[in-house]
Amino acid sequence: MKKRILVVSSANMDFVQRVVRIPDGGETVVESLGYSYIPGGKGANSALAFARLGADAVFCTKMGKDENARRLKKLYGEENIDTRFIAEDREAPTGLASIIVEEESGQNRIIVYPGANNNLLENDIEEAFNCYPDGVFVQFEIPDKAVFAAARFAKERGIPLFVDAGPAREDFQLEKLLQVEILSPNEKECEILTGITPDSVENCLKACIRLASSVSCKYVVLKLGRRGCFVYDGKYYNIVPGHKVNAVDTTAAGDVFTAALSYAYLQKGDILEAARFANIAGAICVSREGASTSIPTLAEIKEFAQELKNKKR
Ligand code: RIB
């Protein structure tokens, strides 16, 4: 059956430039290969991923009363995302992200102007819970108190909470997430939250133990980029290897990975199968440019999985 996911998170318009190289401090480089405006925002990327995977995606966020908001809402509508709980901010503009993508590595640098995302209120979130979700998904690109309110409402209603720990801050109070089904930081976020770089099996395990001691969670899944992911269930761990693809742009890969992981897990309850599925979703995402433009559909993930099977034969 189709599961309903409530995404309580951010929406941005991304201003993206592809560059030959990132300038040093104080340096001007006239080497941009081009620019574009692409719908993004961690929450929106994940909501789009849920929708493209076939979930019933409900998006709770806040946007300005401006042209960017109109463009973003139009896209969400076309992608069958439920937009009833997108609040409008009459003063602050829609969030904007400046993204620089280095051509050779596909690595990005992102600066976010949060705008209306910063004004998402507890009331807006409480209202969104009227959609009766099967799962709630949060990231940290909205105010902490909004994240904690979503966590509290989820716990009170007995709804599983999925947490993509981006963007992370050292002083983020993980314990206020109360009860988490899956907590998933990437390498950088893991380092910020635990002080441990997940560069070896031993360090991944140490970091997971530290995270699991900060907040009650069923699974910690570390996103390790091309290395795949590290799954910890409070007792045992598994390493689920990633896939070699031509990395064109890593933007949104983490948002897509965690959405795919959460959705597959919610559907079947098998964390390792969900991790394999999410690794494919993330791999497809990095092989394409942009945020919303790079998110795969369920059919594309199935096709990739089939190709992997064929190669093994
Ligand atoms: O995770 C990628 C996203 O981070 C971008 O789309 C940008 O908007 C920022 O939120």
Side-chain angles (χ1 to χ4, degrees):
M1 222 186 60
K2 220 178 191 190
K3 298 281 185 191
R4 178 167 301 156
I5 315 285
L6 172 61
V7 176
V8 180
S9 189
S10 57
N12 296 327
M13 180 57 83
D14 291 351
F15 171 62
V16 188
Q17 291 205 65
R18 293 189 75 81
V19 298
V20 175
R21 74 182 171 88
I22 311 262
D24 287 335
E27 187 192 19
T28 301
V29 290
V30 190
E31 281 177 7
S32 176
L33 300 166
Y35 70 88
S36 44
Y37 289 90
I38 302 177
K42 295 190 188 300
N45 297 337
S46 297
L48 281 163
F50 281 121
R52 289 185 191 169
L53 295 175
D56 193 353
V58 183
F59 191 22
C60 173
T61 190
K62 199 158 205 163
M63 301 197 288
K65 197 170 159 38
D66 50 29
E67 186 50 34
N68 281 341
R70 275 185 287 280
R71 275 188 64 188
L72 298 179
K73 253 196 181 170
K74 182 170 176 282
L75 170 72
Y76 308 155
E78 286 163 2
E79 299 265 357
N80 294 320
I81 292 174
D82 183 339
T83 59
R84 281 176 301 156
F85 304 105
I86 297 183
E88 187 178 87
D89 196 317
R90 291 181 171 268
E91 266 135 51
T94 301
L96 182 89
S98 296
I99 304 185
I100 300 177
V101 182
E102 201 173 38
E103 181 69 2
E104 205 181 312
S105 63
Q107 279 255 340
N108 62 32
R109 306 269 197 291
I110 305 180
I111 302 173
V112 174
Y113 171 74
N117 290 305
N118 254 358
N119 299 332
L120 185 63
L121 303 174
E122 200 170 312
N123 281 352
D124 303 322
I125 299 166
E126 190 163 23
E127 212 184 307
F129 272 79
N130 288 333
C131 75
Y132 296 105
D134 298 301
V136 175
F137 184 95
V138 293
Q139 286 138 321
F140 303 162
E141 212 171 44
I142 52 176
D144 291 0
K145 56 179 193 287
V147 177
F148 302 148
R152 206 175 60 247
F153 296 139
K155 182 160 189 224
E156 282 165 7
R157 292 160 178 77
I159 305 167
L161 178 71
F162 299 93
V163 180
D164 181 312
R169 284 193 337 266
E170 240 175 72
D171 63 346
F172 186 86
Q173 295 172 285
L174 278 174
E175 71 279 7
K176 291 206 171 164
L177 295 173
L178 306 174
Q179 196 172 310
V180 179
E181 196 74 13
I182 302 179
L183 174 64
S184 185
N186 68 17
E187 290 159 289
K188 191 75 208 161
E189 291 151 5
C190 171
E191 204 177 305
I192 293 171
L193 293 170
T194 66
I196 300 167
T197 308
D199 52 3
S200 64
V201 173
E202 201 191 345
N203 283 344
C204 284
L205 186 57
K206 271 191 196 157
C208 285
I209 292 171
R210 189 158 297 174
L211 288 167
S213 70
S214 303
V215 58
S216 150
C217 49
K218 195 160 178 189
Y219 297 106
V220 178
V221 179
L222 302 181
K223 290 173 273 201
L224 303 175
R226 62 186 64 213
R227 287 186 289 150
C229 61
F230 187 94
V231 180
Y232 175 68
D233 69 359
K235 206 166 176 192
Y236 302 106
Y237 70 83
N238 275 278
I239 298 161
V240 183
H243 306 285
K244 272 201 199 113
V245 288
N246 179 26
V248 169
D249 182 352
T250 55
T251 309
D255 313 331
V256 167
F257 174 96
T258 316
L261 176 80
S262 308
Y263 191 58
Y265 172 77
L266 204 54
Q267 293 273 96
K268 293 199 183 156
D270 182 333
I271 191 70
L272 293 181
E273 195 182 318
R276 285 190 285 273
F277 181 80
N279 273 346
I280 296 179
I284 298 177
C285 186
V286 299
S287 68
R288 300 169 175 172
E289 284 183 25
S292 53
T293 42
S294 65
I295 300 167
T297 61
L298 181 60
E300 287 170 324
I301 295 176
K302 282 186 174 163
E303 195 183 313
F304 191 108
Q306 188 56 49
E307 278 167 19
L308 286 177
K309 266 192 196 158
N310 295 346
K311 272 187 205 152
K312 274 191 195 149
R313 276 190 197 142

